[in-house]
Amino acid sequence: MKKPARRSGGLVYSTAHGQMCPRCGQPTIRCACRRSAATPEGDGVVRVIRQTKGRRGKAATLVTGVPLAGPELANLGKELKRKCGSGGTVKGGTIEIQGDHRDSLVAELERRGWMVKRAGG
């Protein structure tokens, strides 16, 4: 059985520019293909969910459906974590915040102008 051809070439790191984008070949700071990423499509509703599944009974609050992508979503996650005074992460377009902070998150997201629903248990 023949192995598939390996793609060779392409600059990954440059001492002059640092990390390079494999798609467009530009430094990641000036990368054109990452900026052109479209905002995620949805129904226009931001959902705030309390979840304990897979966390040994400890609660986490998830925020889904936010119409932001990339660094804007990461910045929003950082601000929400700071407002709640707890840790968390941004994974796959979802903001996860440790603890049950649904009430404060719903109020904050409504203040920012989004239509927000409490979802789940």
Side-chain angles (χ1 to χ4, degrees):
M1 192 163 145
K2 190 175 179 183
K3 287 185 179 181
R6 193 175 202 192
R7 229 177 103 172
S8 62
L11 185 62
V12 177
Y13 188 83
S14 167
T15 55
H17 301 289
Q19 198 81 26
M20 304 294 281
C21 177
R23 284 188 237 151
C24 65
Q26 296 292 322
T28 53
I29 295 171
R30 290 184 282 150
C31 176
C33 58
R34 294 192 195 265
R35 269 187 262 143
S36 65
T39 58
E41 292 183 24
D43 58 357
V45 178
V46 177
R47 289 180 171 79
V48 180
I49 306 160
R50 178 182 173 268
Q51 189 180 69
T52 58
K53 185 176 182 180
R55 295 181 174 85
R56 297 183 184 184
K58 295 179 181 171
T61 307
L62 289 101
V63 180
T64 61
V66 179
L68 299 174
E72 294 91 11
L73 186 65
N75 288 337
L76 176 65
K78 187 175 180 180
E79 291 174 19
L80 293 177
K81 289 186 295 185
R82 188 179 310 129
K83 180 153 181 67
C84 294
S86 67
T89 187
V90 177
K91 290 183 188 175
T94 302
I95 301 171
E96 296 181 17
I97 299 177
Q98 296 170 352
D100 186 2
H101 301 284
R102 286 178 292 181
D103 297 329
S104 60
L105 289 176
V106 167
E108 177 66 20
L109 293 169
E110 284 177 343
R111 188 184 67 77
R112 291 175 182 248
W114 285 310
M115 183 176 156
V116 183
K117 284 187 179 179
R118 290 174 59 131

